[in-house]
């Protein structure tokens, strides 16, 4: 089967639908409360699907099945750790953030410690999500361009980005949440279509497919139960999954912002509980798609020898699925990208407006702040698109999922440690947290070696062999421990300063 003009029609209809959603919710967005919190009127199920879609980016949708295809089921089990983190967040962090009543997560850092931490946290988040948006746009674009070489990847990058920025800037967080919910349905439908077609390609049925997977070591890898932190094992996947998700569910505005979009605390908790079956579905689709690809390319067709690993799924979609269905699944890949990008855009504009603009101009009218929020979405979107185009022109992919985990640890780990200290350690004050933060940043650079800087400038440096999932575990642990040890030198804050700003003074005492 080959790509057909009708597949473009399907993709075009998807983009138009997303744009119309933005136009619809633009009419309901009259204030910054609407733009950033949706007036608290979003149903729990929609919020749940939005949180899920935000976490399930194109990085995961493309790269994890490719890893399962090339290695084993292990990386497909990454959501196991996230499930534990989601349950912890529902019971602990949802009630906490709703009761401290902040618009951004970093506003909390300003109250608990000082405004410097608020700015550092917000700027780190903005930088992280500019890079994240670029990666999640770049990865599907370049992967699809490999199997449809006539496409202009720069043009595709621009089209995907412009549609996403348009509906996000018009409709605010409410448009983001509802579009994410629709995108969740599209990407799950696309994933299950891939699984059905792939497993159906075994001549003697599904049992033969599973036998092939077992015989070739795809189900249980040799390192499955290894305790080596440098290797992919069930322990590093689960532990790393929990710790690597701390920043997302505790210190990352794109998810923390959703805790305030429901009418009450019960609904907000319910939105996270609903994520558990969705994350279990992720395990099924990650393992299922990777296995389906392996079965299909063993029994029915051969992969081109020069095809990048991240292009395996798009190659299958275009060459194995019926006309129209191919367009739907490619739309699902773009949906995975846009759900993440739209969430990032809205949350970045929230931080730029609340943490930076309001700090510089506290007396600005709400209507002016709403205009700034919409404008900032476009500015950040253009910046991220430019970075994505740079990645496309550079053309290198590698294992982008694991690379992204390393970036998360580098930029998110130190801030995640600050949040944990602020929420759970009543006796640690600002100076001690600065010590822990600086130490964790140094360790983050040492274990991550971003852009190979340390290798280039430090003679004899060798990057530590640590599985990317475990980088956050080390960075966050060092930050918390460093703050705790420094607290013995700097003393503790007054009871009045932490009242209503720590877990013990907001939850336990209520």
């Amino acid at each position: 089967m080959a790509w057909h003009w009708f597949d473009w029609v399907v993709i075009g209809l998807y983009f138009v639908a997303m744009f119309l959603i933005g136009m619809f919710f633009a009419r309901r967005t009259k204030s910054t409360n609407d733009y950033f919190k949706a007036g608290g009127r979003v149903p729990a199920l929609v919020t749940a699907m939005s949180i899920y879609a935000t976490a399930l980016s194109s990085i995961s949708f493309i790269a994890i099945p490719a890893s399962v295809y090339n290695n084993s089921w292990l990386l497909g089990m990454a959501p196991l750790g996230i499930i534990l983190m989601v349950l912890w967040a529902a019971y602990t962090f949802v009630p906490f953030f709703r009761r401290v009543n902040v618009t951004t997560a970093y506003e909390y850092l300003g109250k608990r410690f000082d405004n410097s931490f608020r700015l550092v946290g917000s700027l780190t988040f903005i930088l992280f999500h500019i890079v994240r948006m670029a990666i999640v746009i770049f990865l599907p674009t370049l992967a699809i361009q490999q199997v449809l070489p006539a496409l202009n990847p720069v043009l595709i990058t621009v089209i995907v980005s412009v549609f996403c920025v348009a509906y996000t800037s018009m409709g605010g967080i409410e448009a983001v949440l509802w579009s994410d919910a629709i995108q969740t349905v599209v990407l799950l439908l696309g994933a299950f279509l891939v699984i059905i077609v792939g497993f159906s390609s075994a001549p003697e049925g599904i049992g033969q497919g599973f036998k092939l997977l077992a015989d070739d070591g795809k189900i249980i890898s040799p390192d499955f139960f290894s305790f080596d932190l440098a290797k992919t094992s069930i322990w590093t996947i689960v532990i790393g999954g929990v710790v690597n998700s701390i920043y997302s569910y505790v210190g990352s505005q794109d998810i923390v912002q959703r805790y305030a979009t429901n009418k009450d605390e019960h609904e907000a908790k319910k939105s996270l509980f609903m994520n558990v079956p969705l994350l279990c579905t992720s395990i099924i689709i990650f393992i299922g798609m990777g296995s389906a690809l392996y079965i299909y390319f063993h029994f029915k067709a051969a992969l081109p020898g020069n095809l990048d690993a991240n292009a395996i799924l798009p190659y299958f979609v275009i060459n194995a699925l019926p006309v129209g269905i191919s367009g739907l699944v490619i739309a699902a890949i773009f949906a995975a990208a846009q759900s993440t990008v739209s969430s990032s855009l809205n949350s970045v504009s929230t931080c730029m407006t609340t943490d930076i603009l309001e700090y510089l101009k506290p007396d600005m009218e709400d209507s002016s702040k709403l205009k700034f929020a919409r404008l900032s979405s476009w500015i950040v979107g253009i910046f991220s698109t430019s970075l994505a185009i740079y990645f496309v022109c550079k053309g290198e992919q590698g294992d982008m999922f694991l690379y992204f985990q390393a970036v998360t640890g580098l930029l998110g780990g130190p801030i995640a440690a600050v949040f944990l200290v602020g929420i759970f350690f009543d006796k640690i004050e600002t100076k001690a947290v600065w010590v822990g933060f600086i130490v964790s940043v140094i360790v983050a650079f040492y274990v991550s070696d971003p852009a190979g800087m340390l290798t280039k400038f430090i003679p004899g440096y060798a990057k530590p062999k640590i599985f990317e999932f475990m980088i956050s575990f080390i960075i966050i642990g060092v930050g918390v421990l460093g703050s705790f040890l420094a607290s013995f030198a700097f003393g503790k804050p007054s009871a009045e300063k932490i009242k209503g700003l720590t877990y013990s003074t907001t939850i336990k005492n209520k």
Side-chain angles (χ1 to χ4, degrees):
M1 298 175 192
W3 191 253
H4 192 271
W5 63 264
F6 185 69
D7 293 308
W8 285 122
V9 172
V10 173
I11 293 175
L13 290 173
Y14 160 75
F15 280 129
V16 170
M18 294 300 102
F19 185 77
L20 291 176
I21 288 173
M23 290 182 63
F24 174 79
F25 286 108
R27 300 173 184 174
R28 301 176 60 174
T29 304
K30 306 297 184 185
S31 66
T32 53
N33 184 58
D34 291 328
Y35 197 80
F36 299 140
K37 296 184 178 181
R41 55 181 172 255
V42 179
L45 178 60
V46 173
T47 303
M49 296 172 77
S50 178
I51 292 173
Y52 174 74
T54 299
L56 183 61
S57 68
S58 59
I59 302 171
S60 306
F61 198 76
I62 290 179
I64 297 183
S67 178
V68 171
Y69 175 92
N70 285 307
N71 301 296
S72 72
W73 283 9
L74 258 177
L75 203 59
M77 299 180 186
L80 286 173
I82 303 175
I83 288 172
L84 298 177
M85 183 65 230
V86 164
L87 293 173
W88 185 23
Y91 284 111
T92 303
F93 300 111
V94 166
F96 178 80
F97 278 108
R98 287 190 70 99
R99 293 178 195 185
V100 296
N101 191 28
V102 292
T103 300
T104 72
Y106 316 108
E107 185 180 347
Y108 163 74
L109 293 184
K111 291 181 177 182
R112 175 65 172 86
F113 299 117
D114 58 27
N115 275 320
S116 297
F117 261 126
R118 179 178 182 177
L119 291 174
V120 167
S122 190
L123 290 172
T124 300
F125 171 82
I126 292 169
L127 175 62
F128 170 62
H129 277 265
I130 287 174
V131 175
R132 186 189 193 204
M133 285 186 281
I135 292 174
V136 299
I137 295 170
F138 148 75
L139 183 59
T141 300
L142 195 59
I144 291 168
Q145 192 267 336
Q146 281 199 27
V147 294
L148 289 174
L151 283 180
N152 184 326
V154 174
L155 180 61
I156 294 298
T157 299
V158 171
I159 291 173
V160 171
S161 301
V162 167
F163 268 93
C164 191
V165 175
Y167 76 73
T168 302
S169 64
M170 286 190 297
I173 189 64
E174 198 166 10
V176 170
L177 293 171
W178 281 96
S179 62
D180 282 356
I182 294 171
Q183 287 160 349
T184 298
V185 175
V186 172
L187 65 90
L188 288 178
L189 178 59
F192 282 114
L193 288 171
V194 169
I195 293 169
I196 292 168
V197 173
F199 272 87
S200 299
S201 63
E204 298 176 14
I206 294 176
Q208 185 185 21
F210 277 105
K211 184 178 185 303
L212 171 69
L213 296 170
D215 291 344
D216 289 0
K218 295 297 177 181
I219 298 176
I220 301 292
S221 66
D223 297 322
F224 193 92
F225 293 107
S226 173
F227 288 96
D228 187 343
L229 294 184
K231 294 181 178 178
T232 308
S233 70
I234 190 63
W235 315 117
T236 55
I237 285 290
V238 174
I239 297 171
V242 173
V243 180
N244 216 50
S245 301
I246 290 176
Y247 176 66
S248 295
Y249 288 88
V250 181
S252 187
Q253 177 63 18
D254 57 329
I255 290 182
V256 173
Q257 185 172 348
R258 282 152 171 73
Y259 301 161
T261 60
N262 304 112
K263 64 180 180 180
D264 55 36
E265 186 178 302
H266 173 73
E267 286 290 298
K269 283 183 177 181
K270 189 163 70 171
S271 71
L272 281 181
F273 290 138
M274 289 177 178
N275 258 259
V276 174
L278 288 171
L279 286 165
C280 291
T281 305
S282 285
I283 298 174
I284 295 171
I285 66 171
F286 289 157
I287 292 176
M289 284 197 294
S291 300
L293 294 173
Y294 192 81
I295 293 168
Y296 180 85
F297 289 115
H298 179 85
F299 289 113
K300 207 150 191 177
L303 275 175
N306 61 344
L307 194 69
D308 188 278
N310 291 321
I312 294 174
L313 178 59
Y315 181 86
F316 170 85
V317 169
I318 291 168
N319 290 280
L321 297 184
V323 171
I325 300 299
S326 295
L328 179 64
V329 179
I330 294 298
I333 292 173
F334 284 127
Q338 287 189 313
S339 61
T340 302
V341 171
S342 62
S343 298
S344 293
L345 283 172
N346 185 265
S347 53
V348 165
S349 71
T350 304
C351 291
M352 292 178 70
T353 305
T354 304
D355 293 323
I356 298 175
L357 181 66
E358 288 186 5
Y359 177 75
L360 297 174
K361 295 185 176 182
D363 298 326
M364 181 176 284
E365 293 183 358
D366 190 73
S367 59
S368 298
K369 287 188 284 189
L370 180 59
K371 291 178 182 177
F372 176 84
R374 284 180 163 142
L375 177 62
S376 63
S377 292
W378 277 102
I379 293 171
V380 172
I382 292 169
F383 202 98
S384 291
T385 303
S386 301
L387 185 58
I389 291 171
Y390 168 76
F391 288 154
V392 167
C393 295
K394 191 176 180 183
E396 296 178 5
Q397 294 187 65
D399 197 329
M400 291 299 295
F401 181 72
L402 294 181
Y403 169 74
F404 183 70
Q405 301 307 312
V407 172
T408 301
L410 173 64
L411 294 177
I415 292 296
V418 174
F419 274 99
L420 292 180
V421 170
I423 294 170
F424 295 112
F425 292 81
D426 294 18
K427 298 181 179 180
I428 298 181
E429 58 94 58
T430 304
K431 294 186 181 67
V433 179
W434 272 112
V435 172
F437 176 74
I438 292 170
V439 171
S440 66
V441 169
I442 294 171
V443 171
F445 270 86
Y446 181 79
V447 300
S448 300
D449 188 22
M453 289 190 296
L454 300 185
T455 303
K456 294 176 183 176
F457 299 112
I458 299 179
Y461 169 83
K463 184 178 177 179
K465 293 182 178 180
I466 304 169
F467 178 47
E468 286 84 351
F469 258 56
M470 297 303 293
I471 288 177
S472 288
F473 179 80
I474 294 170
I475 295 170
I476 294 174
V478 167
V480 172
L481 181 61
S483 300
F484 176 74
L485 294 176
S487 68
F488 291 102
F490 292 106
K492 61 182 181 180
S494 65
E496 188 62 31
K497 180 169 174 54
I498 65 169
K499 185 178 180 181
L501 296 173
T502 63
Y503 185 79
S504 64
T505 61
T506 58
I507 306 297
K508 289 185 176 180
N509 291 343
K510 293 289 183 182

